[in-house]
Amino acid sequence: ETGVTQSPTHLIKTRGQQVTLRCSSQSGHNTVSWYQQALGQGPQFIFQYYREEENGRGNFPPRFSGLQFPNYSSELNVNALELDDSALYLCASSLVGGGGYTFGSGTRLTVV
Amino acid sequence: GEDVEQSLFLSVREGDSSVINCTYTDSSSTYLYWYKQEPGAGLQLLTYIFSNMDMKQDQRLTVLLNKKDKHLSLRIADTQTGDSAIYFCAESIDGGFKTIFGAGTRLFVKA
């Protein structure tokens, strides 16, 4: 098992810019989910991808978008960054239907 | 609605048992989970229980599910200082396409 890897580990962006975060899923997993974790809070569900399509979305605006590739790697894109987007972004892979996630270590995004 | 609630802090002495409680609102939950997060790290799956079970034991961990009251608990036996971390309760809903997390319970273990 290779686990879930995310890049970069840290990132600083300016308000209004765009950012792309990357994730490589655990081998054998066919879904990928993205979460936003603000300091001192629990992870907030952004969306989940299965078979390269978004099949579940949380309460996040359309400027949060994603992609899943045939090799199950994934990207999270955020446009028009706002200061409140500063958070730890976690990628998690799983098998469809349940059984729990394998999480990456996250990307710490700071918007200034 | 979708909501998972946990108490924020728990402090225990090394060697004692810890019990972390959680309530959830969505009665269609299929799986319920406990995750552990150490400082600067992602979340680690500790254990999970299917919604038609009421108890699951895994070494020092015991999960109890009261589906009628929508209450989930995690008991850690013989708590060690290495168990100090944040513990998150989570429920899987929408046919498994969405998992909702609580705010986490910070466990302090005193030597």
Side-chain angles (χ1 to χ4, degrees), chain B residues 33-70:
Chain B
Y33 304 92
W34 286 102
Y35 287 84
K36 176 182 180 182
Q37 187 176 35
E38 297 183 87
L43 279 70
Q44 173 196 356
L45 177 65
L46 285 178
T47 186
Y48 63 92
I49 189 167
F50 192 54
S51 58
N52 67 354
M53 298 170 63
D54 48 26
M55 186 181 93
K56 181 178 180 181
Q57 187 145 7
D58 185 358
Q59 299 183 328
R60 291 192 298 124
L61 306 178
T62 303
V63 178
L64 295 178
L65 173 61
N66 181 328
K67 200 169 179 182
K68 174 176 166 288
D69 295 338
K70 300 191 185 70

PDB file of all heavy atoms in Angstrom, chain B residues 33-70:
ATOM      1  N   TYR B  33     -17.942   6.099  12.155  1.00  0.00           N
ATOM      2  CA  TYR B  33     -16.490   5.956  12.232  1.00  0.00           C
ATOM      3  C   TYR B  33     -15.905   6.715  13.417  1.00  0.00           C
ATOM      4  O   TYR B  33     -16.460   7.713  13.883  1.00  0.00           O
ATOM      5  CB  TYR B  33     -15.841   6.549  10.967  1.00  0.00           C
ATOM      6  CG  TYR B  33     -16.326   5.989   9.659  1.00  0.00           C
ATOM      7  CD1 TYR B  33     -17.377   6.586   8.978  1.00  0.00           C
ATOM      8  CD2 TYR B  33     -15.710   4.883   9.088  1.00  0.00           C
ATOM      9  CE1 TYR B  33     -17.811   6.089   7.762  1.00  0.00           C
ATOM     10  CE2 TYR B  33     -16.142   4.383   7.874  1.00  0.00           C
ATOM     11  CZ  TYR B  33     -17.189   4.987   7.219  1.00  0.00           C
ATOM     12  OH  TYR B  33     -17.616   4.485   6.004  1.00  0.00           O
ATOM     13  N   TRP B  34     -14.739   6.236  13.829  1.00  0.00           N
ATOM     14  CA  TRP B  34     -13.883   7.006  14.721  1.00  0.00           C
ATOM     15  C   TRP B  34     -12.513   7.160  14.066  1.00  0.00           C
ATOM     16  O   TRP B  34     -11.910   6.178  13.631  1.00  0.00           O
ATOM     17  CB  TRP B  34     -13.728   6.311  16.076  1.00  0.00           C
ATOM     18  CG  TRP B  34     -14.956   6.419  16.936  1.00  0.00           C
ATOM     19  CD1 TRP B  34     -15.896   5.468  17.155  1.00  0.00           C
ATOM     20  CD2 TRP B  34     -15.372   7.573  17.676  1.00  0.00           C
ATOM     21  NE1 TRP B  34     -16.863   5.954  17.983  1.00  0.00           N
ATOM     22  CE2 TRP B  34     -16.578   7.236  18.327  1.00  0.00           C
ATOM     23  CE3 TRP B  34     -14.841   8.852  17.866  1.00  0.00           C
ATOM     24  CZ2 TRP B  34     -17.259   8.135  19.150  1.00  0.00           C
ATOM     25  CZ3 TRP B  34     -15.517   9.737  18.687  1.00  0.00           C
ATOM     26  CH2 TRP B  34     -16.709   9.375  19.316  1.00  0.00           C
ATOM     27  N   TYR B  35     -12.071   8.413  14.015  1.00  0.00           N
ATOM     28  CA  TYR B  35     -10.756   8.745  13.484  1.00  0.00           C
ATOM     29  C   TYR B  35      -9.935   9.436  14.560  1.00  0.00           C
ATOM     30  O   TYR B  35     -10.476  10.078  15.460  1.00  0.00           O
ATOM     31  CB  TYR B  35     -10.877   9.719  12.296  1.00  0.00           C
ATOM     32  CG  TYR B  35     -11.400   9.105  11.026  1.00  0.00           C
ATOM     33  CD1 TYR B  35     -12.769   8.971  10.802  1.00  0.00           C
ATOM     34  CD2 TYR B  35     -10.528   8.679  10.023  1.00  0.00           C
ATOM     35  CE1 TYR B  35     -13.254   8.415   9.626  1.00  0.00           C
ATOM     36  CE2 TYR B  35     -11.005   8.129   8.844  1.00  0.00           C
ATOM     37  CZ  TYR B  35     -12.363   8.006   8.655  1.00  0.00           C
ATOM     38  OH  TYR B  35     -12.833   7.450   7.486  1.00  0.00           O
ATOM     39  N   LYS B  36      -8.615   9.340  14.423  1.00  0.00           N
ATOM     40  CA  LYS B  36      -7.681   9.969  15.357  1.00  0.00           C
ATOM     41  C   LYS B  36      -6.793  10.922  14.565  1.00  0.00           C
ATOM     42  O   LYS B  36      -6.331  10.571  13.463  1.00  0.00           O
ATOM     43  CB  LYS B  36      -6.821   8.888  16.027  1.00  0.00           C
ATOM     44  CG  LYS B  36      -5.731   9.384  16.959  1.00  0.00           C
ATOM     45  CD  LYS B  36      -4.933   8.194  17.497  1.00  0.00           C
ATOM     46  CE  LYS B  36      -3.824   8.628  18.426  1.00  0.00           C
ATOM     47  NZ  LYS B  36      -3.013   7.461  18.905  1.00  0.00           N
ATOM     48  N   GLN B  37      -6.548  12.105  15.117  1.00  0.00           N
ATOM     49  CA  GLN B  37      -5.662  13.059  14.465  1.00  0.00           C
ATOM     50  C   GLN B  37      -4.621  13.549  15.461  1.00  0.00           C
ATOM     51  O   GLN B  37      -4.958  14.108  16.502  1.00  0.00           O
ATOM     52  CB  GLN B  37      -6.425  14.246  13.890  1.00  0.00           C
ATOM     53  CG  GLN B  37      -5.545  15.187  13.060  1.00  0.00           C
ATOM     54  CD  GLN B  37      -6.333  16.323  12.420  1.00  0.00           C
ATOM     55  OE1 GLN B  37      -7.292  16.826  13.000  1.00  0.00           O
ATOM     56  NE2 GLN B  37      -5.936  16.729  11.214  1.00  0.00           N
ATOM     57  N   GLU B  38      -3.367  13.325  15.130  1.00  0.00           N
ATOM     58  CA  GLU B  38      -2.263  13.827  15.940  1.00  0.00           C
ATOM     59  C   GLU B  38      -1.788  15.151  15.353  1.00  0.00           C
ATOM     60  O   GLU B  38      -2.061  15.444  14.175  1.00  0.00           O
ATOM     61  CB  GLU B  38      -1.165  12.776  16.019  1.00  0.00           C
ATOM     62  CG  GLU B  38      -1.666  11.521  16.721  1.00  0.00           C
ATOM     63  CD  GLU B  38      -0.624  10.457  16.907  1.00  0.00           C
ATOM     64  OE1 GLU B  38       0.103  10.508  17.918  1.00  0.00           O
ATOM     65  OE2 GLU B  38      -0.538   9.574  16.046  1.00  0.00           O
ATOM     66  N   PRO B  39      -1.080  15.966  16.132  1.00  0.00           N
ATOM     67  CA  PRO B  39      -0.695  17.304  15.666  1.00  0.00           C
ATOM     68  C   PRO B  39       0.046  17.273  14.334  1.00  0.00           C
ATOM     69  O   PRO B  39       0.970  16.495  14.138  1.00  0.00           O
ATOM     70  CB  PRO B  39       0.209  17.813  16.790  1.00  0.00           C
ATOM     71  CG  PRO B  39      -0.246  17.073  18.006  1.00  0.00           C
ATOM     72  CD  PRO B  39      -0.651  15.716  17.523  1.00  0.00           C
ATOM     73  N   GLY B  40      -0.393  18.128  13.422  1.00  0.00           N
ATOM     74  CA  GLY B  40       0.285  18.264  12.131  1.00  0.00           C
ATOM     75  C   GLY B  40       0.070  17.121  11.168  1.00  0.00           C
ATOM     76  O   GLY B  40       0.744  17.049  10.132  1.00  0.00           O
ATOM     77  N   ALA B  41      -0.862  16.235  11.469  1.00  0.00           N
ATOM     78  CA  ALA B  41      -1.059  15.056  10.626  1.00  0.00           C
ATOM     79  C   ALA B  41      -2.483  15.004  10.089  1.00  0.00           C
ATOM     80  O   ALA B  41      -3.375  15.718  10.562  1.00  0.00           O
ATOM     81  CB  ALA B  41      -0.759  13.799  11.435  1.00  0.00           C
ATOM     82  N   GLY B  42      -2.689  14.123   9.110  1.00  0.00           N
ATOM     83  CA  GLY B  42      -4.034  13.849   8.631  1.00  0.00           C
ATOM     84  C   GLY B  42      -4.753  12.945   9.614  1.00  0.00           C
ATOM     85  O   GLY B  42      -4.254  12.638  10.684  1.00  0.00           O
ATOM     86  N   LEU B  43      -5.953  12.528   9.244  1.00  0.00           N
ATOM     87  CA  LEU B  43      -6.747  11.688  10.124  1.00  0.00           C
ATOM     88  C   LEU B  43      -6.448  10.212   9.855  1.00  0.00           C
ATOM     89  O   LEU B  43      -6.248   9.800   8.718  1.00  0.00           O
ATOM     90  CB  LEU B  43      -8.240  11.947   9.895  1.00  0.00           C
ATOM     91  CG  LEU B  43      -8.837  13.171  10.584  1.00  0.00           C
ATOM     92  CD1 LEU B  43      -8.350  14.463   9.979  1.00  0.00           C
ATOM     93  CD2 LEU B  43     -10.353  13.098  10.554  1.00  0.00           C
ATOM     94  N   GLN B  44      -6.465   9.439  10.939  1.00  0.00           N
ATOM     95  CA  GLN B  44      -6.203   8.009  10.848  1.00  0.00           C
ATOM     96  C   GLN B  44      -7.469   7.261  11.264  1.00  0.00           C
ATOM     97  O   GLN B  44      -7.999   7.519  12.358  1.00  0.00           O
ATOM     98  CB  GLN B  44      -5.039   7.643  11.774  1.00  0.00           C
ATOM     99  CG  GLN B  44      -4.761   6.171  11.910  1.00  0.00           C
ATOM    100  CD  GLN B  44      -3.885   5.872  13.116  1.00  0.00           C
ATOM    101  OE1 GLN B  44      -3.424   6.781  13.820  1.00  0.00           O
ATOM    102  NE2 GLN B  44      -3.640   4.608  13.365  1.00  0.00           N
ATOM    103  N   LEU B  45      -7.942   6.361  10.416  1.00  0.00           N
ATOM    104  CA  LEU B  45      -9.120   5.575  10.764  1.00  0.00           C
ATOM    105  C   LEU B  45      -8.782   4.617  11.907  1.00  0.00           C
ATOM    106  O   LEU B  45      -7.851   3.819  11.802  1.00  0.00           O
ATOM    107  CB  LEU B  45      -9.593   4.779   9.548  1.00  0.00           C
ATOM    108  CG  LEU B  45     -10.784   3.852   9.760  1.00  0.00           C
ATOM    109  CD1 LEU B  45     -12.044   4.646  10.097  1.00  0.00           C
ATOM    110  CD2 LEU B  45     -11.020   2.984   8.520  1.00  0.00           C
ATOM    111  N   LEU B  46      -9.538   4.716  13.017  1.00  0.00           N
ATOM    112  CA  LEU B  46      -9.333   3.809  14.149  1.00  0.00           C
ATOM    113  C   LEU B  46     -10.213   2.577  14.029  1.00  0.00           C
ATOM    114  O   LEU B  46      -9.748   1.452  14.174  1.00  0.00           O
ATOM    115  CB  LEU B  46      -9.681   4.524  15.457  1.00  0.00           C
ATOM    116  CG  LEU B  46      -8.695   5.544  15.980  1.00  0.00           C
ATOM    117  CD1 LEU B  46      -9.248   6.163  17.254  1.00  0.00           C
ATOM    118  CD2 LEU B  46      -7.339   4.922  16.236  1.00  0.00           C
ATOM    119  N   THR B  47     -11.500   2.811  13.821  1.00  0.00           N
ATOM    120  CA  THR B  47     -12.448   1.721  13.757  1.00  0.00           C
ATOM    121  C   THR B  47     -13.756   2.252  13.177  1.00  0.00           C
ATOM    122  O   THR B  47     -13.962   3.466  13.104  1.00  0.00           O
ATOM    123  CB  THR B  47     -12.682   1.101  15.156  1.00  0.00           C
ATOM    124  OG1 THR B  47     -13.503  -0.060  15.037  1.00  0.00           O
ATOM    125  CG2 THR B  47     -13.336   2.088  16.112  1.00  0.00           C
ATOM    126  N   TYR B  48     -14.627   1.333  12.764  1.00  0.00           N
ATOM    127  CA  TYR B  48     -15.938   1.752  12.291  1.00  0.00           C
ATOM    128  C   TYR B  48     -16.942   0.666  12.613  1.00  0.00           C
ATOM    129  O   TYR B  48     -16.584  -0.479  12.908  1.00  0.00           O
ATOM    130  CB  TYR B  48     -15.918   2.053  10.795  1.00  0.00           C
ATOM    131  CG  TYR B  48     -15.597   0.882   9.905  1.00  0.00           C
ATOM    132  CD1 TYR B  48     -16.600   0.082   9.372  1.00  0.00           C
ATOM    133  CD2 TYR B  48     -14.278   0.595   9.562  1.00  0.00           C
ATOM    134  CE1 TYR B  48     -16.301  -0.982   8.534  1.00  0.00           C
ATOM    135  CE2 TYR B  48     -13.970  -0.463   8.729  1.00  0.00           C
ATOM    136  CZ  TYR B  48     -14.992  -1.253   8.211  1.00  0.00           C
ATOM    137  OH  TYR B  48     -14.685  -2.305   7.371  1.00  0.00           O
ATOM    138  N   ILE B  49     -18.216   1.040  12.572  1.00  0.00           N
ATOM    139  CA  ILE B  49     -19.283   0.111  12.875  1.00  0.00           C
ATOM    140  C   ILE B  49     -20.392   0.293  11.855  1.00  0.00           C
ATOM    141  O   ILE B  49     -20.713   1.417  11.460  1.00  0.00           O
ATOM    142  CB  ILE B  49     -19.785   0.322  14.331  1.00  0.00           C
ATOM    143  CG1 ILE B  49     -20.755  -0.777  14.750  1.00  0.00           C
ATOM    144  CG2 ILE B  49     -20.402   1.706  14.517  1.00  0.00           C
ATOM    145  CD1 ILE B  49     -21.024  -0.791  16.263  1.00  0.00           C
ATOM    146  N   PHE B  50     -20.932  -0.806  11.395  1.00  0.00           N
ATOM    147  CA  PHE B  50     -22.038  -0.747  10.465  1.00  0.00           C
ATOM    148  C   PHE B  50     -23.304  -0.436  11.255  1.00  0.00           C
ATOM    149  O   PHE B  50     -23.435  -0.837  12.416  1.00  0.00           O
ATOM    150  CB  PHE B  50     -22.149  -2.072   9.710  1.00  0.00           C
ATOM    151  CG  PHE B  50     -23.069  -2.038   8.537  1.00  0.00           C
ATOM    152  CD1 PHE B  50     -22.923  -1.088   7.545  1.00  0.00           C
ATOM    153  CD2 PHE B  50     -24.102  -2.957   8.419  1.00  0.00           C
ATOM    154  CE1 PHE B  50     -23.772  -1.035   6.460  1.00  0.00           C
ATOM    155  CE2 PHE B  50     -24.963  -2.924   7.338  1.00  0.00           C
ATOM    156  CZ  PHE B  50     -24.796  -1.965   6.364  1.00  0.00           C
ATOM    157  N   SER B  51     -24.227   0.243  10.642  1.00  0.00           N
ATOM    158  CA  SER B  51     -25.374   0.768  11.380  1.00  0.00           C
ATOM    159  C   SER B  51     -26.323  -0.310  11.910  1.00  0.00           C
ATOM    160  O   SER B  51     -27.178  -0.013  12.736  1.00  0.00           O
ATOM    161  CB  SER B  51     -26.150   1.748  10.507  1.00  0.00           C
ATOM    162  OG  SER B  51     -26.572   1.110   9.316  1.00  0.00           O
ATOM    163  N   ASN B  52     -26.179  -1.568  11.483  1.00  0.00           N
ATOM    164  CA  ASN B  52     -27.061  -2.614  12.014  1.00  0.00           C
ATOM    165  C   ASN B  52     -26.409  -3.379  13.172  1.00  0.00           C
ATOM    166  O   ASN B  52     -26.939  -4.379  13.633  1.00  0.00           O
ATOM    167  CB  ASN B  52     -27.500  -3.582  10.915  1.00  0.00           C
ATOM    168  CG  ASN B  52     -26.352  -4.403  10.385  1.00  0.00           C
ATOM    169  OD1 ASN B  52     -25.201  -4.186  10.754  1.00  0.00           O
ATOM    170  ND2 ASN B  52     -26.649  -5.354   9.504  1.00  0.00           N
ATOM    171  N   MET B  53     -25.245  -2.888  13.621  1.00  0.00           N
ATOM    172  CA  MET B  53     -24.571  -3.484  14.768  1.00  0.00           C
ATOM    173  C   MET B  53     -24.762  -2.580  15.980  1.00  0.00           C
ATOM    174  O   MET B  53     -25.032  -1.380  15.836  1.00  0.00           O
ATOM    175  CB  MET B  53     -23.066  -3.627  14.478  1.00  0.00           C
ATOM    176  CG  MET B  53     -22.762  -4.541  13.310  1.00  0.00           C
ATOM    177  SD  MET B  53     -21.020  -4.448  12.824  1.00  0.00           S
ATOM    178  CE  MET B  53     -20.201  -5.056  14.294  1.00  0.00           C
ATOM    179  N   ASP B  54     -24.605  -3.136  17.183  1.00  0.00           N
ATOM    180  CA  ASP B  54     -24.656  -2.258  18.350  1.00  0.00           C
ATOM    181  C   ASP B  54     -23.347  -2.239  19.134  1.00  0.00           C
ATOM    182  O   ASP B  54     -23.181  -1.412  20.032  1.00  0.00           O
ATOM    183  CB  ASP B  54     -25.837  -2.599  19.263  1.00  0.00           C
ATOM    184  CG  ASP B  54     -25.931  -4.068  19.563  1.00  0.00           C
ATOM    185  OD1 ASP B  54     -24.898  -4.760  19.505  1.00  0.00           O
ATOM    186  OD2 ASP B  54     -27.039  -4.541  19.863  1.00  0.00           O
ATOM    187  N   MET B  55     -22.425  -3.130  18.814  1.00  0.00           N
ATOM    188  CA  MET B  55     -21.143  -3.103  19.494  1.00  0.00           C
ATOM    189  C   MET B  55     -20.064  -3.702  18.591  1.00  0.00           C
ATOM    190  O   MET B  55     -20.315  -4.629  17.819  1.00  0.00           O
ATOM    191  CB  MET B  55     -21.189  -3.895  20.797  1.00  0.00           C
ATOM    192  CG  MET B  55     -19.924  -3.776  21.631  1.00  0.00           C
ATOM    193  SD  MET B  55     -19.956  -4.729  23.152  1.00  0.00           S
ATOM    194  CE  MET B  55     -19.189  -6.217  22.608  1.00  0.00           C
ATOM    195  N   LYS B  56     -18.871  -3.142  18.738  1.00  0.00           N
ATOM    196  CA  LYS B  56     -17.718  -3.715  18.046  1.00  0.00           C
ATOM    197  C   LYS B  56     -16.496  -3.547  18.946  1.00  0.00           C
ATOM    198  O   LYS B  56     -16.275  -2.459  19.493  1.00  0.00           O
ATOM    199  CB  LYS B  56     -17.490  -3.011  16.713  1.00  0.00           C
ATOM    200  CG  LYS B  56     -16.310  -3.566  15.926  1.00  0.00           C
ATOM    201  CD  LYS B  56     -16.162  -2.851  14.594  1.00  0.00           C
ATOM    202  CE  LYS B  56     -14.988  -3.395  13.808  1.00  0.00           C
ATOM    203  NZ  LYS B  56     -14.813  -2.691  12.528  1.00  0.00           N
ATOM    204  N   GLN B  57     -15.716  -4.607  19.098  1.00  0.00           N
ATOM    205  CA  GLN B  57     -14.511  -4.538  19.926  1.00  0.00           C
ATOM    206  C   GLN B  57     -13.294  -4.818  19.053  1.00  0.00           C
ATOM    207  O   GLN B  57     -13.314  -5.723  18.212  1.00  0.00           O
ATOM    208  CB  GLN B  57     -14.590  -5.561  21.055  1.00  0.00           C
ATOM    209  CG  GLN B  57     -13.461  -5.434  22.047  1.00  0.00           C
ATOM    210  CD  GLN B  57     -13.892  -5.742  23.468  1.00  0.00           C
ATOM    211  OE1 GLN B  57     -15.008  -6.175  23.703  1.00  0.00           O
ATOM    212  NE2 GLN B  57     -13.011  -5.503  24.408  1.00  0.00           N
ATOM    213  N   ASP B  58     -12.268  -4.021  19.251  1.00  0.00           N
ATOM    214  CA  ASP B  58     -11.046  -4.164  18.474  1.00  0.00           C
ATOM    215  C   ASP B  58      -9.883  -3.833  19.400  1.00  0.00           C
ATOM    216  O   ASP B  58      -9.545  -2.672  19.593  1.00  0.00           O
ATOM    217  CB  ASP B  58     -11.083  -3.217  17.268  1.00  0.00           C
ATOM    218  CG  ASP B  58      -9.886  -3.400  16.344  1.00  0.00           C
ATOM    219  OD1 ASP B  58      -9.006  -4.237  16.656  1.00  0.00           O
ATOM    220  OD2 ASP B  58      -9.820  -2.698  15.321  1.00  0.00           O
ATOM    221  N   GLN B  59      -9.293  -4.862  20.005  1.00  0.00           N
ATOM    222  CA  GLN B  59      -8.191  -4.712  20.958  1.00  0.00           C
ATOM    223  C   GLN B  59      -8.613  -3.778  22.088  1.00  0.00           C
ATOM    224  O   GLN B  59      -9.564  -4.073  22.811  1.00  0.00           O
ATOM    225  CB  GLN B  59      -6.925  -4.254  20.231  1.00  0.00           C
ATOM    226  CG  GLN B  59      -6.475  -5.265  19.182  1.00  0.00           C
ATOM    227  CD  GLN B  59      -5.190  -4.873  18.494  1.00  0.00           C
ATOM    228  OE1 GLN B  59      -4.893  -3.699  18.299  1.00  0.00           O
ATOM    229  NE2 GLN B  59      -4.405  -5.855  18.116  1.00  0.00           N
ATOM    230  N   ARG B  60      -7.977  -2.621  22.262  1.00  0.00           N
ATOM    231  CA  ARG B  60      -8.323  -1.750  23.390  1.00  0.00           C
ATOM    232  C   ARG B  60      -9.544  -0.879  23.108  1.00  0.00           C
ATOM    233  O   ARG B  60     -10.000  -0.153  23.995  1.00  0.00           O
ATOM    234  CB  ARG B  60      -7.142  -0.841  23.724  1.00  0.00           C
ATOM    235  CG  ARG B  60      -5.940  -1.567  24.324  1.00  0.00           C
ATOM    236  CD  ARG B  60      -4.912  -0.579  24.898  1.00  0.00           C
ATOM    237  NE  ARG B  60      -4.346   0.315  23.887  1.00  0.00           N
ATOM    238  CZ  ARG B  60      -4.371   1.638  23.966  1.00  0.00           C
ATOM    239  NH1 ARG B  60      -4.940   2.252  24.987  1.00  0.00           N
ATOM    240  NH2 ARG B  60      -3.809   2.374  23.006  1.00  0.00           N
ATOM    241  N   LEU B  61     -10.068  -0.946  21.902  1.00  0.00           N
ATOM    242  CA  LEU B  61     -11.169  -0.072  21.501  1.00  0.00           C
ATOM    243  C   LEU B  61     -12.495  -0.820  21.519  1.00  0.00           C
ATOM    244  O   LEU B  61     -12.584  -1.938  21.009  1.00  0.00           O
ATOM    245  CB  LEU B  61     -10.931   0.465  20.092  1.00  0.00           C
ATOM    246  CG  LEU B  61      -9.605   1.165  19.825  1.00  0.00           C
ATOM    247  CD1 LEU B  61      -9.526   1.592  18.368  1.00  0.00           C
ATOM    248  CD2 LEU B  61      -9.421   2.358  20.741  1.00  0.00           C
ATOM    249  N   THR B  62     -13.515  -0.179  22.097  1.00  0.00           N
ATOM    250  CA  THR B  62     -14.875  -0.702  22.063  1.00  0.00           C
ATOM    251  C   THR B  62     -15.791   0.400  21.567  1.00  0.00           C
ATOM    252  O   THR B  62     -15.782   1.512  22.106  1.00  0.00           O
ATOM    253  CB  THR B  62     -15.345  -1.156  23.450  1.00  0.00           C
ATOM    254  OG1 THR B  62     -14.444  -2.141  23.960  1.00  0.00           O
ATOM    255  CG2 THR B  62     -16.752  -1.760  23.380  1.00  0.00           C
ATOM    256  N   VAL B  63     -16.562   0.095  20.534  1.00  0.00           N
ATOM    257  CA  VAL B  63     -17.524   1.048  19.989  1.00  0.00           C
ATOM    258  C   VAL B  63     -18.916   0.566  20.351  1.00  0.00           C
ATOM    259  O   VAL B  63     -19.240  -0.614  20.162  1.00  0.00           O
ATOM    260  CB  VAL B  63     -17.387   1.153  18.457  1.00  0.00           C
ATOM    261  CG1 VAL B  63     -18.432   2.101  17.904  1.00  0.00           C
ATOM    262  CG2 VAL B  63     -15.995   1.597  18.072  1.00  0.00           C
ATOM    263  N   LEU B  64     -19.718   1.475  20.895  1.00  0.00           N
ATOM    264  CA  LEU B  64     -21.114   1.184  21.195  1.00  0.00           C
ATOM    265  C   LEU B  64     -21.997   2.098  20.366  1.00  0.00           C
ATOM    266  O   LEU B  64     -21.748   3.309  20.276  1.00  0.00           O
ATOM    267  CB  LEU B  64     -21.402   1.401  22.678  1.00  0.00           C
ATOM    268  CG  LEU B  64     -20.687   0.472  23.657  1.00  0.00           C
ATOM    269  CD1 LEU B  64     -21.040   0.861  25.097  1.00  0.00           C
ATOM    270  CD2 LEU B  64     -21.050  -0.977  23.394  1.00  0.00           C
ATOM    271  N   LEU B  65     -23.020   1.523  19.756  1.00  0.00           N
ATOM    272  CA  LEU B  65     -23.956   2.298  18.934  1.00  0.00           C
ATOM    273  C   LEU B  65     -25.368   2.099  19.455  1.00  0.00           C
ATOM    274  O   LEU B  65     -25.855   0.965  19.553  1.00  0.00           O
ATOM    275  CB  LEU B  65     -23.874   1.856  17.467  1.00  0.00           C
ATOM    276  CG  LEU B  65     -24.910   2.472  16.521  1.00  0.00           C
ATOM    277  CD1 LEU B  65     -24.766   3.992  16.471  1.00  0.00           C
ATOM    278  CD2 LEU B  65     -24.771   1.881  15.113  1.00  0.00           C
ATOM    279  N   ASN B  66     -26.013   3.193  19.799  1.00  0.00           N
ATOM    280  CA  ASN B  66     -27.421   3.199  20.171  1.00  0.00           C
ATOM    281  C   ASN B  66     -28.162   3.921  19.046  1.00  0.00           C
ATOM    282  O   ASN B  66     -28.200   5.145  19.001  1.00  0.00           O
ATOM    283  CB  ASN B  66     -27.613   3.924  21.505  1.00  0.00           C
ATOM    284  CG  ASN B  66     -29.070   3.922  21.943  1.00  0.00           C
ATOM    285  OD1 ASN B  66     -29.988   3.938  21.130  1.00  0.00           O
ATOM    286  ND2 ASN B  66     -29.282   3.916  23.249  1.00  0.00           N
ATOM    287  N   LYS B  67     -28.718   3.131  18.135  1.00  0.00           N
ATOM    288  CA  LYS B  67     -29.300   3.729  16.937  1.00  0.00           C
ATOM    289  C   LYS B  67     -30.585   4.494  17.255  1.00  0.00           C
ATOM    290  O   LYS B  67     -30.881   5.505  16.624  1.00  0.00           O
ATOM    291  CB  LYS B  67     -29.576   2.641  15.900  1.00  0.00           C
ATOM    292  CG  LYS B  67     -29.723   3.172  14.505  1.00  0.00           C
ATOM    293  CD  LYS B  67     -29.722   2.078  13.483  1.00  0.00           C
ATOM    294  CE  LYS B  67     -29.896   2.692  12.093  1.00  0.00           C
ATOM    295  NZ  LYS B  67     -29.957   1.682  11.043  1.00  0.00           N
ATOM    296  N   LYS B  68     -31.298   4.027  18.272  1.00  0.00           N
ATOM    297  CA  LYS B  68     -32.552   4.695  18.650  1.00  0.00           C
ATOM    298  C   LYS B  68     -32.269   6.124  19.116  1.00  0.00           C
ATOM    299  O   LYS B  68     -32.960   7.067  18.734  1.00  0.00           O
ATOM    300  CB  LYS B  68     -33.250   3.894  19.746  1.00  0.00           C
ATOM    301  CG  LYS B  68     -34.491   4.539  20.345  1.00  0.00           C
ATOM    302  CD  LYS B  68     -35.152   3.593  21.344  1.00  0.00           C
ATOM    303  CE  LYS B  68     -36.173   4.329  22.202  1.00  0.00           C
ATOM    304  NZ  LYS B  68     -35.537   5.232  23.168  1.00  0.00           N
ATOM    305  N   ASP B  69     -31.213   6.281  19.923  1.00  0.00           N
ATOM    306  CA  ASP B  69     -30.858   7.603  20.440  1.00  0.00           C
ATOM    307  C   ASP B  69     -29.850   8.323  19.556  1.00  0.00           C
ATOM    308  O   ASP B  69     -29.430   9.441  19.881  1.00  0.00           O
ATOM    309  CB  ASP B  69     -30.296   7.489  21.855  1.00  0.00           C
ATOM    310  CG  ASP B  69     -31.328   6.994  22.848  1.00  0.00           C
ATOM    311  OD1 ASP B  69     -32.535   7.138  22.569  1.00  0.00           O
ATOM    312  OD2 ASP B  69     -30.933   6.455  23.897  1.00  0.00           O
ATOM    313  N   LYS B  70     -29.410   7.676  18.468  1.00  0.00           N
ATOM    314  CA  LYS B  70     -28.389   8.239  17.575  1.00  0.00           C
ATOM    315  C   LYS B  70     -27.156   8.645  18.388  1.00  0.00           C
ATOM    316  O   LYS B  70     -26.659   9.776  18.295  1.00  0.00           O
ATOM    317  CB  LYS B  70     -28.935   9.417  16.772  1.00  0.00           C
ATOM    318  CG  LYS B  70     -30.118   9.059  15.881  1.00  0.00           C
ATOM    319  CD  LYS B  70     -30.415  10.202  14.925  1.00  0.00           C
ATOM    320  CE  LYS B  70     -31.650   9.951  14.111  1.00  0.00           C
ATOM    321  NZ  LYS B  70     -32.893  10.012  14.870  1.00  0.00           N
TER     322      LYS B  70
END
